[in-house]
Amino acid sequence: MHTATEIVLPGIVEPAGLLVRDRDLAAPAAGQALVRVEATGVSFAEQQMRRGKYYDQPPFPFTPGYDLVGRVEATGPGVDPALLGARVAAVTKTGGWSTAVLLDAATLVPVPDGVDPAAAETVVVNGITAWQMLYRVARVRPGGTILVHGANGGVGSTLTQLARHDGIRVVGTASPRHHDTVRALGAEPLDYRAPGLAARARVLSPGGYDAVFDHVGGPGIADSWRLVARGGSLVSYGTAATRDDAGNARLPVLALLARLLWWNALPNGRRASFYSLWSGKWRPAAFQARMREDLTRVFARLADGTLSAQVAARIPLRDAAEAMRLAESGTVTGKVILVP
């Protein structure tokens, strides 16, 4: 019998309302592996979940935690015993905020030797998201110019680095306190709070952008669309603008999807997409193969130093409330990491 300490989200609560509990875990069943967690993190999804605003979150109570990195401590029947002791990463959607988890062994992705667990954790969901949006959805070529909203954030900072490494010019929005960081990542910063953002972005790329990556949604999505050059793409991947709004969590997403579909129907030579990490999950084998391939490529860049991990802070798992407050403060660059 194995034991685990986990964080529980009991309902719509402030960060202080998160609970800590211990529970027993069964031995791994056929096809499963027990992973002892070394690092997990706070993503925007958990910020939405504690407000009851994530599109398809489970009913309360549950343990949050979208992704994790850890070591395989035990395996069930049918699992290659060579996996024992290996450091792996996994996308879990929920359940990662724990000291140990039972996972389907087929979903585990090896982490390269020598890569720090916290560093690897910053690029699991963030890295897959950035890679797939840039290379599978927008398909931006070297020499292109892109606009990245929130270039200091977890996805934004990873996306910026991937693009710059491949010779793509990046204009990135962020608050002024993060402009030096955005410059260090190789992007040209814009203050997203100053008036006339769209006009200032247009000055930096008068012909428009080959791709605009927008996690904000809300009214500003129309400006993002207008900034896309002919032949380019708007890639929407969130509705951060409505995070604190009351009401049904699905409505902002459905309204955004309707708007993107309408824009795609117009004969203007531009494309609008809504990116979801879980697209295609109804074909599990192909979905897992794509996730493994893309995360392996991201890890390779992390291992060879062409991608730098953006660790905002390392906070003990039991202090998840503090971690949540910090992640929601808007004062950090990168990802807040929980260390069991």
Side-chain angles (χ1 to χ4, degrees):
M1 184 71 70
H2 301 268
T3 60
T5 299
E6 61 187 9
I7 305 300
V8 177
L9 184 56
I12 298 176
V13 296
E14 292 300 311
L18 293 169
L19 306 177
V20 181
R21 76 177 181 192
D22 296 320
R23 71 182 181 98
D24 293 329
L25 296 177
Q32 285 188 324
L34 176 75
V35 178
R36 185 63 59 178
V37 179
E38 295 176 303
T40 180
V42 185
S43 66
F44 187 71
E46 286 92 28
Q47 298 174 39
Q48 290 178 302
M49 287 178 187
R50 81 163 184 84
R51 295 167 169 82
K53 299 287 289 183
Y54 191 75
Y55 187 82
D56 60 351
Q57 69 186 69
F60 297 114
F62 65 91
T63 295
Y66 217 92
D67 55 6
L68 61 88
V69 171
R71 291 218 180 252
V72 176
E73 195 169 88
T75 57
V79 177
D80 185 354
L83 199 59
L84 276 171
R87 176 170 285 149
V88 296
V91 178
T92 53
K93 187 179 276 190
T94 59
W97 288 8
S98 180
T99 58
V101 291
L102 287 167
L103 298 172
D104 183 344
T107 66
L108 304 179
V109 178
V111 176
D113 292 338
V115 174
D116 174 67
E121 162 59 19
T122 66
V123 298
V124 181
V125 165
N126 289 344
I128 294 170
T129 298
W131 185 281
Q132 292 184 346
M133 290 196 303
L134 186 62
Y135 300 117
R136 292 189 182 271
V137 180
R139 301 189 202 97
V140 182
R141 297 178 179 178
T145 300
I146 65 175
L147 176 64
V148 177
H149 288 296
N152 63 297
V155 174
S157 61
T158 305
L159 179 55
T160 297
Q161 291 183 81
L162 292 174
R164 292 299 299 131
H165 180 262
D166 286 343
I168 297 167
R169 178 187 174 208
V170 180
V171 176
T173 69
S175 63
R177 67 160 66 93
H178 298 304
H179 282 191
D180 286 345
T181 297
V182 172
R183 289 189 189 95
L185 294 172
E188 302 162 51
L190 277 176
D191 181 1
Y192 75 90
R193 292 176 177 170
L197 174 61
R200 288 180 288 116
R202 177 70 71 181
V203 168
L204 292 179
S205 186
Y209 291 83
D210 296 293
V212 177
F213 299 91
D214 189 313
H215 70 295
V216 182
I221 195 73
D223 286 333
S224 290
W225 173 244
R226 285 190 284 267
L227 287 167
V228 177
R230 188 170 183 83
S233 300
L234 167 64
V235 184
S236 172
Y237 65 105
T239 54
T242 62
R243 184 190 71 177
D244 296 320
D245 292 354
N248 191 303
R250 293 174 177 260
L251 292 181
V253 178
L254 295 174
L256 176 59
L257 289 173
R259 178 174 273 191
L260 298 178
L261 286 170
W262 167 246
W263 285 337
N264 265 338
L266 300 175
N268 53 32
R270 294 176 288 169
R271 292 172 287 129
S273 304
F274 186 83
Y275 170 82
S276 170
L277 181 77
W278 302 101
S279 178
K281 195 180 179 184
W282 56 276
R283 297 175 59 202
F287 174 80
Q288 289 298 336
R290 186 171 66 249
M291 293 267 280
R292 176 181 292 266
E293 177 184 350
D294 294 344
L295 183 53
T296 298
R297 287 174 171 172
V298 172
F299 279 156
R301 292 208 180 180
L302 188 64
D304 69 17
T306 57
L307 180 62
S308 175
Q310 303 297 305
V311 178
R314 303 175 192 233
I315 295 175
L317 178 69
R318 287 182 175 272
D319 296 330
E322 176 190 343
M324 180 74 86
R325 282 191 292 267
L326 180 61
E328 294 184 3
S329 70
T331 63
V332 297
T333 294
K335 189 168 187 178
V336 176
I337 302 300
L338 289 168
V339 183

